[in-house]
Every structure is written in structure tokens, then in C-alpha cells.
């Protein structure tokens, strides 16, 4: 099956059924069942006229004529492994378009640079992954772009007041929901209304959602008012801790300006990573479902442990609370990310982390192996102590990304490590 034959007896297959075939025909490559790795920097034109035509179409100087197709030029612009992986990834979010990058940070930075201009304000939810926090709080201000941070419990009126105090036009809204590492949920519909209120006939303010924690299986932001979806594809999409990549998804008209920046900044990913992502997408659903199932068992265990004072897990939200209502509206499952606070602050957390035998002590998440880290001094050490205290990134907080190990073994490992939290 190819990209152009996407129905069986008139019925569109599920995304997981298309991950092994969509966008590629074996007859293109000597019958190879798997897409070959097009490890090439440049593509040979059949004639100079063809080369000129490809450039004209790539630069948007003209649309393809009847029977004409834009062709491959150079791997900074495009490459078959990138394009097929993009087509496949877009299916999960029901997106019209997708652009892959050489990291999640490259996807986020290229997107923000494509849409923000000096003098603009960018509204950003907190807590936020440390790299994104550094970008919005330290790098963008050097280009005259100022961040207005807000938390999940920030009322719309207060957000408006903060924007007014910042004194610049709103240029973009960027949210991370669920937030890394606390699983705080941000109201996408509310943020979409906020962006729309500040859009003008000459400029639409976009809402982008970093969907790294739950997507692309358990949350589809484009269905909840987001214009763009961002991913660190290093996490669940790659899923094996063996690549670094990122993605942005949305309508072609909105992704195209970002792709243009990608070409000029050179933030695209390479053919080998595109190929690895295709390999990973074939097992995305089984991996994420199994990891989520195991995370539920582990979260229940942690919630009952006397040394654990708090568990941030979406499956434990309490009915009737605003966060629970948001979860029911926006999410399709609790995912496999847990953070939990242990007794004894940073010493307690370090004792636990240093005692783990099966779970790796490492940053990153969404991989086949379980990973644990200390946000306050690692992934979220960009934020000040006060900022971290305000967003619940406390000294005793440990982040756990649940992998594919047997839940009994994970619990055994946590049990022996938690026993060492207090001497
Ligand atoms: C939520 C989130 N967004 C973005 C990133 C950045 O992704 P990458 O490390 O692929 O650049 C990370 C990395 O941990 C993340 O956790």
C-alpha cells in the first residue's frame, strides 16, 4: 500500500496499520520491503531544465504544472527518508503536514523564529522543559522577544493583565501539556481563545502545544484548538534512546513558513534518523500502550508507599477537580510519565536515584528502558529555586519514565531503592 491508496474496500486503515507501508512503494527500490536509507546529500537532475523547474517549485515561484512533480534537490531541503517518516507521523495527529527536525529543541526554536519578531511577547506555560525555558527566558530576549509565563491555574483575566503589563503585542502562545515533570494540564481551548483574541486581520497569533508527554497516541491537540503540535521525537516517537529528533505538525499553510526557516537554518534531520524514526513508528502503539499499562501499576504502588509524599500521575486525578475535567476533555489516556516526591528532600531523592539497579539514572524519557532523574538539579535546573518551588518541582521530586520492563521488576527495584531513602 502506498500514500495514494489509503483505503481497504473503502475503509481507511488505522494509523498503526499504515506505519509499515504508507508513502513508499517497493517497486521504487528493487522491491525492497523496507524503505532504503537514501544516504545522499544531493540528487542528480535529468537535465538542467529539470533542475531549474525543481528550484522554481521549491522556492514557491510557481506551482507544479499538469503532470509535473516537485523533485528532490538536496537533503537540507528534503530527502525520501524524511518525507516518508513525516507522512507517517502526521497520520497519528490527523495533521495535514509534518516537518522533522534534528532535535525537539530545533523544532521548537525554528517554529518560534518563524513566527516571532522583535518587540513581540510569547506567552509560555510553566513548568517547562529546561531547554525550552532557556530558549524563551534567555535566548529570545536577546532578539527583543519577551516571555510571559503562566501556570495551569492562571485565570484568563490574569493572563490578559500580565500581557498588558509586558506591553508588547502577543506573537505566539506555547504550552507544554502535560507539563514536564509535574503532569500539570493546561487548558488548550482557553489558550486558543486567548490567541484568537489577540489575532488581527494582518496577523494570526498561533497556539502550539508541546505534546511530547502524551502524544501522538494519548492526546491530539489539533482537535482542541491548537494550530501546531510540537514533539521531541527523541522520546516516545523514537522510543529507543538511540536518536535525537523533533517534529512540528499542523496545516500546510502554517508548517510551510517553518519548513522554509528549517531549510535556511539547516535544522532538518538526516536520512538515517528519518529511517530510524520509521522503524520506531511501526511499534509506537504497542510500546506506548504497554508502557502506560505498566505505569498505572507502578503509580499505584508508589502512591501507597510510606516514603512517598506525592505522586503526579494523570491516572490519579480526582474526579470533580478542574484538572480531572481537563484530563477528560483533552487526553485519551494517562501515559507513562510519573513524578513523585520522596521524604528527605534532595538527599532523599539522591539516595533513591543512586540505589536504583534496573531503572537507569538518566534524563530523557519515553524509551523502552525505564529512566529516572532529578528535575530540580537536572532537566529543570534552568529555573530558579523560587520558580521551581512555585511549579511543584520540589527538591524531593523524582521523574520516572516507565519503560517496557515487567512491572514486578520495576516495583522490586523501587522497593529496594525507597528503603534507602531514610537511613
Ligand atoms: C517536553 C519536552 N520538550 C522538548 C524537549 C527537547 O527535545 P530534544 O531533547 O529532542 O531537543 C524535551 C527534552 O527532554 C522535552 O522533555
Amino acid at each position: 500500500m502506498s500514500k495514494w491508496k489509503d483505503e481497504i474496500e473503502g475503509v481507511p486503515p488505522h494509523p498503526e496499520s499504515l506505519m509499515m507501508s504508507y508513502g513508499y512503494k517497493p517497486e521504487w527500490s528493487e522491491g525492497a520491503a523496507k524503505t532504503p536509507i537514501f544516504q545522499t546529500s544531493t540528487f542528480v537532475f535529468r537535465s538542467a531544465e529539470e533542475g531549474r523547474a525543481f528550484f522554481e517549485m521549491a522556492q514557491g515561484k510557481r506551482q507544479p504544472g499538469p503532470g509535473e512533480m516537485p523533485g528532490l534537490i538536496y537533503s537540507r531541503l528534503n530527502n525520501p527518508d524524511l518525507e516518508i517518516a513525516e507522512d507517517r507521523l502526521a497520520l497519528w495527529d490527523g495533521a495535514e503536514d509534518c516537518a522533522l527536525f534534528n532535535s525537539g529543541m530545533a523544532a521548537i526554536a525554528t517554529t518560534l523564529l518563524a513566527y516571532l519578531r522583535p518587540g513581540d511577547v510569547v506567552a509560555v506555560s510553566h513548568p517547562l522543559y529546561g531547554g525550552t525555558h532557556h530558549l524563551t527566558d534567555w535566548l529570545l530576549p536577546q532578539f527583543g522577544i519577551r516571555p510571559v509565563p503562566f501556570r495551569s491555574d492562571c485565570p484568563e483575566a490574569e493572563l490578559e493583565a500580565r500581557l498588558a503589563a509586558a506591553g508588547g503585542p502577543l506573537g505566539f502562545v506555547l504550552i507544554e501539556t502535560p507539563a514536564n515533570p509535574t503532569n500539570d494540564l493546561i487548558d488548550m481551548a482557553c489558550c486558543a481563545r486567548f490567541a484568537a483574541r489577540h489575532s488581527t486581520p494582518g496577523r494570526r497569533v498561533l497556539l502550539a502545544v508541546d505534546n511530547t508527554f502524551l502524544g501522538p497516541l494519548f492526546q491530539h491537540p489539533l482537535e482542541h484548538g491548537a494550530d501546531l503540535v510540537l514533539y521531541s521525537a527523541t522520546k516516545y516517537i523514537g522510543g529507543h534512546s538511540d536518536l535525537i529528533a523533533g517534529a512540528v505538525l499542523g496545516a500546510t499553510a502554517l508548517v510551510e513558513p517553518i519548513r522554509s526557516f528549517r531549510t535556511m537554518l539547516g535544522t532538518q534531520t538526516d536520512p538515517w534518523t528519518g529511517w530510524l524514526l520509521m522503524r520506531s513508528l511501526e511499534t509506537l502503539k504497542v510500546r506506548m500502550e504497554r508502557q502506560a499499562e505498566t505505569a498505572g501499576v507502578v503509580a499505584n504502588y508508589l502512591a501507597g508507599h510510606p516514603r512517598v509524599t506525592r505522586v503526579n500521575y494523570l491516572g490519579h486525578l480526582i474526579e470533580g477537580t478542574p484538572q480531572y475535567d481537563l484530563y477528560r476533555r483533552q487526553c485519551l489516556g494517562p501515559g507513562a510519565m510519573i513524578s513523585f516526591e520522596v521524604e528527605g528532600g534532595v538527599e532523599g531523592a539522591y539516595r533513591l536515584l543512586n540505589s536504583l539497579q534496573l531503572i537507569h539514572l538518566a534524563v530523557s524519557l519515553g524509551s523502552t528502558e525505564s529512566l529516572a532523574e532529578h528535575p530540580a538539579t537536572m532537566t529543570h535546573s534552568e529555573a530558579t529555586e523560587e520558580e521551581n518551588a512555585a511549579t511543584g518541582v520540589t527538591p524531593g521530586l523524582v521523574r520516572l519514565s516507565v519503560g517496557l520492563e515487567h512491572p514486578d521488576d520495576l516495583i522490586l527495584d523501587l522497593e529496594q531503592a525507597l528503603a534507602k531513602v531514610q537511613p
Side-chain angles (χ1 to χ4, degrees), residues 1-248:
M1 185 177 299
S2 82
K3 183 175 168 183
W4 300 279
K5 181 180 179 288
D6 52 8
E7 290 186 348
I8 305 167
E9 304 288 326
V11 180
H14 298 82
E16 63 266 35
S17 306
L18 294 170
M19 287 305 107
M20 283 62 78
S21 55
Y22 190 72
Y24 170 71
K25 286 183 180 173
E27 60 259 39
W28 292 342
S29 303
E30 310 280 356
K34 291 290 170 201
T35 315
I37 304 166
F38 291 85
Q39 192 68 43
T40 184
S41 58
T42 195
F43 296 87
V44 177
F45 306 130
R46 275 173 294 197
S47 67
E49 288 77 7
E50 185 186 69
R52 179 181 62 197
F54 287 177
F55 266 86
E56 284 170 352
M57 287 183 272
Q59 291 164 346
K61 288 184 178 157
R62 65 174 181 84
Q63 293 302 309
E68 202 178 24
M69 288 274 283
L72 294 160
I73 299 175
Y74 186 60
S75 286
R76 178 156 49 74
L77 281 70
N78 201 359
N79 176 285
D81 292 295
L82 231 73
E83 191 173 325
I84 300 166
E86 286 169 344
D87 290 341
R88 291 184 187 174
L89 180 54
L91 292 175
W92 295 94
D93 275 288
E96 189 184 3
D97 209 343
C98 168
L100 280 172
F101 293 81
N102 54 19
S103 69
M105 284 315 302
I108 295 168
T110 308
T111 298
L112 292 179
L113 288 176
Y115 281 105
L116 287 164
R117 294 296 172 265
D120 281 348
V121 167
V122 53
V124 211
S125 66
H126 276 206
L128 196 58
Y129 164 62
T132 316
H133 193 166
H134 187 90
L135 176 72
T136 55
D137 271 45
W138 295 99
L139 299 187
L140 290 182
Q142 296 174 42
F143 297 88
I145 298 159
R146 286 152 303 134
V148 167
F150 65 98
R151 296 214 305 269
S152 61
D153 55 359
C154 179
E156 272 182 83
E158 192 187 321
L159 186 52
E160 290 291 355
R162 285 191 203 180
L163 178 66
L170 181 68
F172 202 86
V173 184
L174 171 65
I175 62 174
E176 202 179 272
T177 181
N180 181 357
T182 55
N183 273 327
D184 282 8
L185 298 176
I186 312 289
D187 190 333
M188 295 191 226
C190 171
C191 290
R193 281 198 301 274
F194 176 58
R197 271 202 302 279
H198 291 274
S199 293
T200 61
R203 186 183 189 191
R204 185 168 151 203
V205 176
L206 302 185
L207 166 66
V209 175
D210 185 332
N211 197 29
T212 299
F213 259 39
L214 281 187
L217 219 67
F218 300 125
Q219 183 169 264
H220 298 134
L222 298 177
E223 293 171 9
H224 300 278
D227 298 296
L228 296 169
V229 181
L230 292 160
Y231 286 111
S232 166
T234 312
K235 317 301 188 216
Y236 289 100
I237 294 168
H240 295 71
S241 293
D242 58 6
L243 62 88
I244 300 274
V248 60

